[in-house]
Amino acid sequence: MYATLNEIGKKFRLAGELYTYEVITMGNINSTYKATYMREDGSLKPYLFQKVNTHVFKNPVEIMKNIDRVTGYIREKYPDQKTLHFHHTDEGHNYYVSDDNAFWRVVNYIESVTFDSSEDLHVIEATGKAFGQFQTNLSDFDGSVLYETIPDFHNTKKRLDTLFTHVGENPCGRVADCAKELSYLAAVREKAGELSVKFANGEIPKRVTHNDTKCNNVLFDRVTKEPIVVIDLDTIMPGMSMYDFADAVRFIANTAVEDEPDVSRVYFDTAKFRAFAQGFIGATIDALEPVELDNLVKATFSITVELASRFLDDYLTGDLYFRCNYPKHNLVRTRCQLALAKDIERKWDELSWIVRDVTEKIRNSGKK
Ligand code: GN1
Ligand code: MG
């Protein structure tokens, strides 16, 4: 790996010599390495090297153009805000395709800490604020210039349709393993797909959204525990604001990890939901329309069912999309998301009340 990274670093004209590197295991899609260079004066400078998964991202050049446009816009409009700095090759590209057709990019490493989960409600609220603010910063950005890097990425209805097509085809003979999961998904199929149908019909505003709002996509200052920057901009596309909210709480309010094999440990934590809602709604309240505020809980349920159907679809079609660490990893992930979806259904009224209460309090305090 050293030789490969060394070669890639030369293409991006990084100063000094590759001194050391480590593999970053976070993320289910791309391969990431932290590479530290020693410069001539002996100082060390870390970078992130990323090999983009071109099975998932069929047009990675389009991703890099999107990232360039969005980060350029934020840099210009909010010069004090930290943005990601990608390096360029001699040809002036912010990516490099190696001889073996691998797609590489290099970004400055930002000294920070990320949270895969947190018990600290302040950190959770700050995460909500960071993702909400990210959307608000881009509210005047013309989304029509962005490529749709993964078409229908959060089209829940289509995701479920695809799953059930593959159930019919049963390409790997695995359908029999998941009868219970499929019967639940069939029962909630329409309800979970409803918002995406409304979005396609133009009944829900189209905004520029992040689309992958896991809490570990916010970098925090190690000391102050304040957010520094939102990262992982691969799926920035026009989408529903509430799905950014939803994907984040799906992850952060889960009492267990995303691939917890013991589903009796999987619950949806309402206090964490409230904390995130405070941050997110506080940062977006001026822009959000009633149809968006009123559907935050339904969105949370829908995206949880959507991810379950994506994991299960990957299981049924041979585990080609998400990185798997053992044979039934995708099935375990599916069961975990379904346990979460069921708990969200149980807590629906309480969660709806929390959204109303938080919204009212923000409005009353005039707090943004
Ligand atoms: C993938 O690799 P990561 O963690 O950034 C996936 C998300 C899923 C997530 C589930 C492009 O994100 O949509 O919510 O796994 N990203 C893509 O852990 O499919
Ligand atoms: Mg991602």
Side-chain angles (χ1 to χ4, degrees):
M1 200 65 226
Y2 181 93
T4 308
L5 295 178
N6 200 30
E7 182 212 322
I8 304 303
K10 288 204 173 84
K11 299 292 175 192
F12 285 94
R13 304 173 298 178
L14 303 183
E17 289 297 319
L18 176 57
Y19 178 66
T20 170
Y21 76 89
E22 60 184 283
V23 180
I24 308 278
T25 50
M26 201 174 85
N28 293 324
I29 309 285
N30 298 322
S31 307
T32 309
Y33 306 85
K34 180 180 175 189
T36 303
Y37 274 67
M38 187 183 277
R39 294 184 285 204
E40 261 181 30
D41 62 1
S43 63
L44 297 176
K45 167 117 177 124
Y47 300 91
L48 279 188
F49 283 44
Q50 226 174 18
K51 187 161 91 172
V52 176
N53 179 331
T54 47
H55 173 71
V56 168
F57 295 107
K58 308 279 186 219
N59 293 307
V61 174
E62 295 186 350
I63 296 184
M64 297 315 292
K65 285 188 176 159
N66 280 357
I67 291 178
D68 218 28
R69 287 203 161 115
V70 169
T71 51
Y73 177 87
I74 296 177
R75 249 195 300 275
E76 197 165 297
K77 194 157 178 197
Y78 308 96
D80 295 339
Q81 233 166 73
K82 190 129 191 129
T83 51
L84 298 176
H85 178 92
F86 284 89
H87 288 266
H88 288 79
T89 61
D90 270 335
E91 290 80 36
H93 296 143
N94 56 0
Y95 58 86
Y96 171 71
V97 183
S98 60
D99 292 341
D100 57 350
N101 246 340
F103 190 98
W104 287 92
R105 61 189 176 193
V106 172
V107 63
N108 280 352
Y109 179 84
I110 299 174
E111 211 37 70
S112 57
V113 59
T114 57
F115 300 98
D116 285 322
S117 68
S118 179
E119 294 308 314
D120 183 341
L121 296 181
H122 294 289
V123 166
I124 296 178
E125 182 174 347
T127 307
K129 194 172 160 195
F131 281 126
Q133 194 57 48
F134 183 78
Q135 260 185 27
T136 301
N137 286 351
L138 292 172
S139 58
D140 291 329
F141 180 89
D142 176 12
S144 68
V145 305
L146 294 177
Y147 294 100
E148 203 179 348
T149 50
I150 302 182
D152 290 313
F153 187 56
H154 282 317
N155 187 334
T156 309
K157 180 185 181 302
K158 273 209 174 160
R159 294 286 192 181
L160 284 155
D161 290 350
T162 306
L163 170 71
F164 282 102
T165 303
H166 290 148
V167 169
E169 294 165 356
N170 199 8
C172 301
R174 295 178 173 179
V175 168
D177 300 349
C178 43
K180 261 169 61 187
E181 290 73 19
L182 286 168
S183 96
Y184 176 77
L185 285 167
V188 298
R189 185 172 175 178
E190 206 180 312
K191 174 164 137 186
E194 206 181 291
L195 291 175
S196 61
V197 172
K198 285 193 171 154
F199 179 66
N201 292 342
E203 293 168 50
I204 292 169
K206 199 184 248 190
R207 304 190 182 278
V208 177
T209 49
H210 181 280
N211 295 307
D212 190 4
T213 48
K214 282 158 85 163
C215 56
N216 51 25
N217 280 333
V218 179
L219 304 187
F220 279 84
D221 186 292
R222 234 175 249 284
V223 181
T224 64
K225 298 273 161 50
E226 286 299 318
I228 305 173
V229 64
V230 169
I231 58 162
D232 191 353
L233 308 180
D234 295 342
T235 46
I236 285 192
M237 285 179 275
M240 285 185 267
S241 164
M242 56 183 140
Y243 264 40
D244 269 3
F245 171 92
D247 204 22
V249 283
R250 168 195 75 66
F251 188 80
I252 210 166
N254 185 347
T255 52
V257 287
E258 209 174 57
D259 53 359
E260 170 59 58
D262 175 5
V263 292
S264 73
R265 299 174 69 169
V266 177
Y267 288 100
F268 193 77
D269 185 318
T270 54
K272 291 184 178 179
F273 177 82
R274 175 184 273 277
F276 188 89
Q278 257 157 13
F280 188 91
I281 298 174
T284 50
I285 197 154
D286 291 342
L288 292 192
E289 294 183 11
V291 66
E292 295 172 292
L293 283 167
D294 293 347
N295 282 303
L296 289 176
V297 179
K298 181 173 262 187
T300 305
F301 172 73
S302 306
I303 207 154
T304 307
V305 170
E306 176 189 291
L307 187 60
S309 75
R310 292 174 61 196
F311 285 146
L312 193 54
D313 183 51
D314 200 27
Y315 177 70
L316 294 183
T317 53
D319 303 315
L320 300 173
Y321 189 100
F322 295 102
R323 186 180 301 129
C324 286
N325 300 334
Y326 51 89
K328 293 199 173 176
H329 202 166
N330 270 323
L331 189 53
V332 166
R333 288 170 169 145
T334 306
R335 290 182 174 142
C336 187
Q337 290 303 303
L338 291 182
L340 198 62
K342 287 176 190 167
D343 200 39
I344 295 168
E345 275 194 302
R346 275 190 288 271
K347 293 173 176 161
W348 198 290
D349 290 343
E350 184 188 351
L351 296 172
S352 305
W353 180 83
I354 291 173
V355 170
R356 282 196 299 275
D357 187 52
V358 164
T359 309
E360 207 177 289
K361 287 197 171 117
I362 291 169
R363 288 220 169 99
N364 289 343
S365 69
K367 181 178 139 204
K368 287 206 62 194

Short mmCIF file of all heavy atoms in Angstrom, two decimals, residues 13 126 191 239 287 311:
data_model
loop_
_atom_site.label_atom_id
_atom_site.label_comp_id
_atom_site.label_asym_id
_atom_site.label_seq_id
_atom_site.Cartn_x
_atom_site.Cartn_y
_atom_site.Cartn_z
N ARG A 13 1.12 16.19 -6.27
CA ARG A 13 2.21 17.15 -6.01
C ARG A 13 2.34 17.51 -4.53
O ARG A 13 2.55 18.67 -4.18
CB ARG A 13 1.99 18.43 -6.85
CG ARG A 13 1.85 18.14 -8.33
CD ARG A 13 1.47 19.37 -9.11
NE ARG A 13 0.18 19.89 -8.69
CZ ARG A 13 -0.37 20.99 -9.18
NH1 ARG A 13 0.25 21.70 -10.08
NH2 ARG A 13 -1.55 21.39 -8.76
N ALA A 126 -25.56 19.76 18.90
CA ALA A 126 -24.60 20.46 18.03
C ALA A 126 -24.53 19.79 16.65
O ALA A 126 -24.36 20.46 15.62
CB ALA A 126 -23.21 20.47 18.68
N LYS A 191 -46.78 2.98 3.31
CA LYS A 191 -46.60 4.07 4.27
C LYS A 191 -45.17 4.65 4.18
O LYS A 191 -44.97 5.86 4.20
CB LYS A 191 -46.87 3.49 5.67
CG LYS A 191 -46.60 4.40 6.83
CD LYS A 191 -47.28 3.84 8.09
CE LYS A 191 -46.43 3.92 9.32
NZ LYS A 191 -47.00 3.27 10.49
N GLY A 239 -32.79 17.25 -2.72
CA GLY A 239 -33.54 16.23 -1.98
C GLY A 239 -34.48 16.86 -0.97
O GLY A 239 -34.72 18.07 -1.00
N ALA A 287 -36.66 28.45 7.13
CA ALA A 287 -36.88 27.95 5.76
C ALA A 287 -37.94 26.86 5.70
O ALA A 287 -38.64 26.72 4.70
CB ALA A 287 -35.56 27.41 5.21
N PHE A 311 -30.15 -2.63 2.66
CA PHE A 311 -29.29 -3.70 3.19
C PHE A 311 -29.80 -5.07 2.72
O PHE A 311 -29.03 -5.95 2.31
CB PHE A 311 -29.27 -3.67 4.73
CG PHE A 311 -28.44 -2.55 5.34
CD1 PHE A 311 -28.84 -1.93 6.54
CD2 PHE A 311 -27.25 -2.13 4.77
CE1 PHE A 311 -28.08 -0.93 7.12
CE2 PHE A 311 -26.48 -1.12 5.34
CZ PHE A 311 -26.89 -0.52 6.52
#
